[in-house]
Amino acid sequence: MAAITLEDVKVVRGSALVLDIDHLEIGDGELLVVLGPSGAGKSMLLRSIAGLEEVSAGRIRFDGVDMAKVDTAERGVAMVF
C-alpha cells in the first residue's frame, strides 16, 4: 500500500465546482470511509484518486510522488462501492 495525500485538489465540470479538497492524508495501511449524502462528491473523490476523473487543479501524491498526470492503469489503484 501507499500513503495518499491530496493537496488543493479541485474538480470543475462546466461552471460547477464538484470537488474541493484543501488537504487530506491517508496513511499507509489506514482505512478511509467516505460518508455523505447523494451528490456530496464521494464517488468523485475516489474516481479522482484512481485516475478515472481528471483533476482541474492540485496534487494527488502516492508516497510523495505526484500522480495527477499518471495514467490510470499505471496507478495500481482499485475501488469498491
Side-chain angles (χ1 to χ4, degrees), residues 1-79:
M1 295 182 71
I4 300 172
T5 305
L6 284 75
E7 300 169 338
D8 301 318
V9 172
K10 295 185 185 337
V11 177
V12 178
R13 296 293 175 259
S15 62
L17 178 64
V18 295
L19 185 67
D20 186 6
I21 304 288
D22 290 331
H23 186 83
L24 174 65
E25 286 188 42
I26 307 164
D28 185 7
E30 285 186 342
L31 175 67
L32 173 70
V33 178
V34 183
L35 301 172
S38 179
K42 302 174 300 292
S43 294
M44 184 64 67
L45 170 64
L46 297 175
R47 292 176 58 82
S48 297
I49 291 171
L52 300 172
E53 292 287 340
E54 186 176 342
V55 297
S56 303
R59 290 170 299 285
I60 299 173
R61 299 180 190 274
F62 292 2
D63 284 336
V65 178
D66 190 2
M67 302 298 279
K69 301 299 180 191
V70 174
D71 188 59
T72 303
E74 295 179 19
R75 290 188 186 202
V77 174
M79 53 187 197

